Amino acid sequence: MSSRRSPIAELVVVLPVLAALSGCGASAAPEASATASPDPTEAAVRAVDTPDCLPGAARAVVAGSEADPTIVVTIGEGSRGIVFAPQLGATFCQWADQLVRYADQGYRVASFAWGEDGGASLEATVGVLRGEGAEDVALVGASKGAGVVAALADDLRPAPVGVIALSPGVEVEGHDATSAGSAYTGPLLVVASETDGSIRASESQQVARADDPATYVQLPGSAHGVAILLAGTGPQVLDQMDGFLAAAFGG
């Protein structure tokens, strides 16, 4: 996990930091005025260059606290928002194809690069997406990101309209991701591979609801996290995600 404890001003001025975090270059983005914050520990949301792994229409900002900032990227328009949480050591670039795909379907989508506190990174990203105009937000995550969205779904207000977790573990950063430990009662979809060598399917199944088999899908093979979408069953999973999200947003 990358450490990003430099001040916000340094992150904005020294743009190579963005490239180091994202693992990709950047292209120029329009200037955006800072949003004032009454809390001195919270940084203003500031525009940075758009990473090269995303189309030019994408927007990139730094959000969160000055001590632990989060780089957030957004694409699309409208009131239906989706946050895509990456795997450990990955960034928004990992979700680039799906960000574009769901933006093309009419969603306002976002992803981010992990800060020190994964929960704070997720909350900052949801805040940016809502600030842009998303009224309802669904959460999608892979591996670490799957555990974070499952664990924190019951902490967010308003609650997410739906949660999709690809290969989640039962605990992440001290947070219990199991359904038994969560008060979240909204739509939930957990997907895992039968012989996943990183996180056992039996662990992921605990994130699904024992009393609702429809919340759990087990696939053949060993694909982990976002790799599930690239495996032979990828088109099937994407179809399930599309239907799940459409229903979660009320069709």
Side-chain angles (χ1 to χ4, degrees):
M1 187 183 306
S2 300
S3 174
R4 304 205 306 281
R5 292 192 172 277
S6 53
I8 289 291
E10 183 179 345
L11 281 171
V12 174
V13 175
V14 186
L15 295 177
V17 172
L18 174 60
L21 289 171
S22 65
C24 52
S27 57
E31 286 292 322
S33 59
T35 301
S37 172
D39 185 346
T41 65
E42 290 297 311
V45 175
R46 298 172 183 265
V48 292
D49 284 3
T50 302
D52 286 345
C53 63
L54 298 171
R59 305 169 290 274
V61 300
V62 176
S65 71
E66 291 187 356
D68 188 20
T70 296
I71 295 177
V72 179
V73 297
T74 60
I75 311 177
E77 306 295 336
S79 62
R80 301 179 303 164
I82 309 173
V83 172
F84 291 83
Q87 297 180 191
L88 177 66
T91 70
F92 37 76
C93 289
Q94 182 180 58
W95 283 112
D97 289 345
Q98 301 311 318
L99 292 175
V100 172
R101 182 174 181 273
Y102 282 100
D104 287 345
Q105 291 183 26
Y107 295 99
R108 186 185 297 272
V109 297
S111 188
F112 56 92
W114 293 108
E116 292 288 337
D117 183 334
S121 291
L122 177 65
E123 291 173 1
T125 304
V126 171
V128 169
L129 201 59
R130 289 195 181 279
E132 284 195 0
E135 297 175 3
D136 297 313
V137 175
L139 307 178
V140 179
S143 192
K144 173 185 174 175
V148 169
V149 300
L152 298 185
D154 60 353
D155 290 339
L156 297 176
R157 297 291 183 274
V161 298
V163 174
I164 298 176
L166 308 179
S167 307
V170 296
E171 182 179 337
V172 59
E173 295 186 353
H175 298 290
D176 183 357
T178 66
S179 60
S182 174
Y184 173 71
T185 58
L188 173 67
L189 177 63
V190 177
V191 182
S193 296
E194 183 178 11
T195 57
D196 188 331
S198 299
I199 295 176
R200 294 192 301 272
S202 58
E203 288 188 42
S204 294
Q205 191 168 13
Q206 294 179 55
V207 179
R209 296 178 183 133
D211 61 351
D212 186 358
T215 62
Y216 181 67
V217 175
Q218 184 166 297
L219 305 170
S222 59
H224 177 74
V226 294
I228 286 175
L229 304 180
L230 304 176
T233 53
Q236 167 196 330
V237 176
L238 285 171
D239 284 347
Q240 288 177 302
M241 290 173 59
D242 290 351
F244 176 93
L245 290 166
F249 284 103

